[in-house]
Amino acid sequence: MNKTSLNLSKFLSAKVWIAIAVVLFVAIFVLVANRVYHSQPAKVVVNAKNLDAAQYQKLNTAMSKKQAGSFFTAVLPELKDSVMQQDWISQVDIERKWGEGIVITALPREPIAKFGSEHLIDSQGKVFKPVSESELSQDGLIMLQGDAEQSSLIMQQMQQVNQWFAPLKMQVDDLVLTPRMTWAIRFNNGMRIIVDNEHTSQKLMNLSQLLQNQLADKRGQIQAVDLRYKNGFVIDWKKDSAPDKVEMNQRSDTQKTASTQKATSSTSEQNKNTNNSSLANEPQAAASRPSSQQTN
């Protein structure tokens, strides 16, 4: 055997051993990786950030029952959907953190009003049940009522009314949308307004302008305003506060209408049956009040 053949044999032997070594390394790597990949279920950790004690406890209890899979096989979108089934949660972020597990960071909804007696509502009009009943008694929450399917409309209306009456420093305390689509509003100064679903926005904006101008000096004497009329409205004055006469000029987009308030006549029998404390009376009943004056 010559020297060239010997060198080639050594070279081939070295390549074989290298190939064997590579195959063994890959096989071991695959086995280890597979074992790690399909290891025991990953720990699901709820981040306490942004949550109070009751919210953390509720979410942690719900997630402890969830089978998330291993650290690498856990399907994060499915886990996120599971978290969002908690209607009081607004946003959620889920990530894999080596050494910790699957970490859930949730952001609770921020209520700005009560919706009925058992629910809250956020600025987006989303109705949800709070984790703790104590959340229903928070200071500064407005009371909204109506069909939950109309919650976005109710929230939008409340925000618009607050904007229109902000120059008067009047803010909504209570707002109700009835099944007949009638709006009943009570402000923080005690004034109440009832308005139907026809030209609602225009009627409310016009009233805001009147209260800032023609009725500015009489604003403190007004108890309630009924806007459910096509060509006017009824003012229910506070007791012993009804003025003899009020001159008002009201301008629309296309014309200016001059109108004078006049006292509405009523019989003594009607006086006995009039309920001045209810804003939800029918227009005919509102017009029969002895302390009311109607604009035509």
Side-chain angles (χ1 to χ4, degrees):
M1 182 180 295
N2 57 35
K3 187 178 293 187
T4 302
S5 298
L6 183 60
N7 290 338
L8 180 60
S9 177
K10 290 181 178 181
F11 176 74
L12 292 175
S13 297
K15 287 189 64 177
V16 168
W17 282 111
I18 291 173
I20 292 173
V22 170
V23 169
L24 287 174
F25 175 80
V26 171
I28 293 172
F29 178 81
V30 169
L31 288 172
V32 172
N34 186 64
R35 186 177 181 84
V36 171
Y37 191 78
H38 296 284
S39 60
Q40 62 182 358
K43 183 179 180 181
V44 178
V45 179
V46 175
N47 188 350
K49 181 181 179 182
N50 305 320
L51 306 177
D52 61 29
Q55 292 169 339
Y56 171 79
Q57 182 63 37
K58 185 174 180 65
L59 183 57
N60 193 49
T61 300
M63 291 300 101
S64 65
K65 303 174 183 178
K66 184 70 178 176
Q67 296 296 325
S70 71
F71 183 84
F72 294 102
T73 62
V75 182
L76 301 191
E78 290 184 2
L79 194 58
K80 181 176 181 179
D81 291 341
S82 180
V83 175
M84 291 303 295
Q85 289 178 7
Q86 306 283 329
D87 63 0
W88 55 272
I89 293 178
S90 173
Q91 298 178 24
V92 63
D93 179 64
I94 303 179
E95 57 185 336
R96 295 180 175 90
K97 286 191 175 181
W98 188 257
E100 293 185 50
I102 309 298
V103 180
I104 298 174
T105 304
L107 183 67
R109 296 189 184 279
E110 195 69 33
I112 64 170
K114 290 186 286 186
F115 196 87
S117 60
E118 298 181 349
H119 293 82
L120 297 171
I121 186 171
D122 66 8
S123 60
Q124 304 302 314
K126 175 66 177 179
V127 177
F128 63 97
K129 192 165 185 176
V131 173
S132 172
E133 291 186 2
S134 62
E135 296 181 56
L136 295 169
S137 58
Q138 297 179 58
D139 294 334
L141 290 181
I142 303 164
M143 171 61 81
L144 304 180
Q145 297 186 65
D147 189 332
E149 294 184 357
Q150 301 282 350
S151 60
S152 295
L153 173 63
I154 294 171
M155 175 57 62
Q156 182 181 12
Q157 184 73 295
M158 184 273 291
Q159 293 170 335
Q160 288 182 335
V161 171
N162 277 340
Q163 181 179 350
W164 295 329
F165 287 82
L168 298 163
K169 300 187 184 305
M170 292 171 62
Q171 295 289 290
V172 173
D173 262 0
D174 298 286
L175 186 147
V176 179
L177 177 60
T178 71
R180 298 176 63 180
M181 299 302 289
T182 296
W183 298 91
I185 306 168
R186 182 173 66 84
F187 290 93
N188 55 351
N189 65 351
M191 184 184 297
R192 293 172 291 143
I193 296 174
I194 187 167
V195 59
D196 57 11
N197 201 39
E198 293 187 12
H199 309 294
T200 304
S201 297
Q202 190 63 51
K203 290 177 179 179
L204 289 168
M205 285 190 291
N206 287 345
L207 177 62
S208 173
Q209 292 299 314
L210 286 171
L211 292 173
Q212 293 178 63
N213 298 287
Q214 292 91 332
L215 291 173
D217 58 340
K218 303 292 190 298
R219 194 165 64 236
Q221 301 169 250
I222 298 174
Q223 178 173 314
V225 183
D226 191 338
L227 300 174
R228 295 175 294 177
Y229 297 86
K230 184 175 295 187
N231 298 314
F233 56 87
V234 169
I235 294 178
D236 189 6
W237 302 98
K238 294 179 180 178
K239 187 177 180 181
D240 301 326
S241 297
D244 295 331
K245 187 176 182 181
V246 179
E247 295 289 343
M248 294 191 300
N249 293 317
Q250 184 175 353
R251 183 182 297 275
S252 65
D253 292 337
T254 57
Q255 61 181 2
K256 181 178 181 181
T257 303
S259 57
T260 302
Q261 284 195 315
K262 50 189 178 181
T264 304
S265 62
S266 61
T267 63
S268 59
E269 186 63 30
Q270 288 173 320
N271 291 341
K272 295 178 182 179
N273 297 325
T274 301
N275 183 0
N276 288 321
S277 65
S278 174
L279 187 61
N281 289 339
E282 293 301 316
Q284 293 84 353
S288 68
R289 297 172 181 151
S291 62
S292 299
Q293 291 183 326
Q294 182 174 3
T295 298
N296 295 319

